[in-house]
Amino acid sequence: MNAPLTKPSHCNSSDEILSKITPLLKGVIKRHNGGYLAFCPSHDDLKGRSLAVSLGRQGQALMHCFAGCSIHEITAAIDLNPADLFPRESRYEPQTRSYFNESLILEALRHDALVVLIAARTMLTGKALPESDIDFLSKAIIRINEAASFSGRFK
């Protein structure tokens, strides 16, 4: 007799995931590779067990219906969400966003402004700038303009 069907709470380990999911399925048999075969809950399996259930590399439950049912159809049929197939420790957790330090940005802009000043003084003496300096100046001007337009968004 099957265990009572209960929706799995978020599992702590990958072993727990399969032990929580397999009771929700009918006709589960263990395969030689450690996975399971079962009747797919999202369609009438008349020709045999078409749902393969196994453990993925990251500890998640993998479910594949050989008749073509999607993971969303399969999980919905057993009152689960695809996120329930993952162990808790692998769930997405938003990372804190790192911002540039204002003093570092100002220091970089100060350096670019100094390069522009030196280039302007060199050109005033009638000397031509090498191509590499012109390329660097172009990029410095773009950085200064981007910083100015970015800071304008906060006014």
Side-chain angles (χ1 to χ4, degrees), residues 8-9 21-22 25 27 32 39 50 54 56 59 70 79 81 83 91 93 100 115 117 138 140 147 152 154:
S9 59
I21 292 173
T22 53
L25 302 170
H32 66 281
F39 295 113
S50 65
S54 61
S70 75
D79 196 31
N81 184 311
R91 289 194 179 275
E93 292 186 22
F100 288 106
V115 168
L117 177 64
S138 298
F154 298 104

Side-chain angles (χ1 to χ4, degrees), residues 39-113:
F39 295 113
C40 180
S42 64
H43 76 275
D44 290 329
D45 257 344
L46 302 175
K47 296 182 181 179
R49 294 168 176 87
S50 65
L51 182 67
V53 181
S54 61
L55 207 54
R57 289 185 192 151
Q58 297 175 348
Q60 76 277 26
L62 301 175
M63 302 176 93
H64 176 76
C65 176
F66 293 101
C69 298
S70 75
I71 191 66
H72 298 285
E73 293 169 325
I74 297 167
T75 52
I78 55 175
D79 196 31
L80 293 179
N81 184 311
D84 295 323
L85 304 179
F86 291 84
R88 180 181 300 154
E89 60 269 7
S90 70
R91 289 194 179 275
Y92 170 77
E93 292 186 22
Q95 302 295 314
T96 57
R97 186 171 180 182
S98 62
Y99 294 96
F100 288 106
N101 183 324
E102 290 175 5
S103 64
L104 293 176
I105 294 171
L106 290 174
E107 182 64 26
L109 290 174
R110 187 185 69 75
H111 177 266
D112 283 346

Side-chain angles (χ1 to χ4, degrees), residues 22-36:
T22 53
L24 301 175
L25 302 170
K26 293 181 181 175
V28 177
I29 57 171
K30 190 163 179 75
R31 298 172 72 186
H32 66 281
N33 64 1
Y36 298 90

